[in-house]
Amino acid sequence: MRKLAVLLLAAACVFAANAADVERTESVLDKRVTELTQDLRCLVCQNQSIADSQAPLAIDLKNQVREKMEKGMTDRQIVDYMVERYGDFVLYRPPVNAATVALWFGPAALLALGLIMLFRHLARRRKEQPDAPLSEAEHERARALLGTTDKDSA
């Protein structure tokens, strides 16, 4: 009877140790999945990562990432697979290349263009403003348009 108790206790210890290893492995895998999917854009939401999105497509992509990690693929291989399948749009930080130059430098170029246009407009407006006071004829014309007399303006 005593041997049976020792045997059961040993089996329980082995089972608990294996369960802890499986749990540790799963938590490492979960962490790795979360880290990688934080860098991938949800194709449905577009303003959320796959990790944050609850869209059905995002959940499917998360599961695909998990399956590929379980098969032993590296993060780089998984990202390459996603880019091959969905394009650079799936990346939150797409590479700078001919297709993404406008994405990277477009906002700065538009800001610079807007500032140039603003300064040119202000300079042109400053040149167009008359520096000399109105002549008497211009005063008379303004009074006539406004319907006022000299007595009204005094």
Side-chain angles (χ1 to χ4, degrees), residues 7-49:
L7 185 62
L8 286 175
L9 182 61
C13 288
V14 169
F15 178 74
N18 284 341
D21 284 345
V22 167
E23 187 176 304
R24 232 178 281 122
T25 303
E26 286 179 7
S27 67
V28 169
L29 182 65
D30 287 339
K31 184 178 177 186
R32 196 172 151 217
V33 168
T34 301
E35 286 176 2
L36 182 59
T37 56
Q38 285 291 336
D39 294 333
L40 299 174
R41 180 188 319 272
C42 174
L43 301 171
V44 175
C45 307
Q46 297 181 6
N47 63 343
Q48 285 185 315
S49 69

Side-chain angles (χ1 to χ4, degrees), residues 55-66:
L57 178 62
I59 293 169
D60 288 344
L61 291 174
K62 246 186 286 195
N63 291 335
Q64 279 186 13
V65 168
R66 176 182 297 283

Side-chain angles (χ1 to χ4, degrees), residues 32-33 36 65-72 75 78:
R32 196 172 151 217
V33 168
L36 182 59
V65 168
R66 176 182 297 283
E67 289 170 11
K68 296 197 178 309
M69 285 181 176
E70 287 172 348
K71 288 181 182 177
D75 290 359
I78 295 169

Side-chain angles (χ1 to χ4, degrees), residues 11 16 49-50 86 116 144:
S49 69
I50 291 173
Y86 301 106
I116 289 168

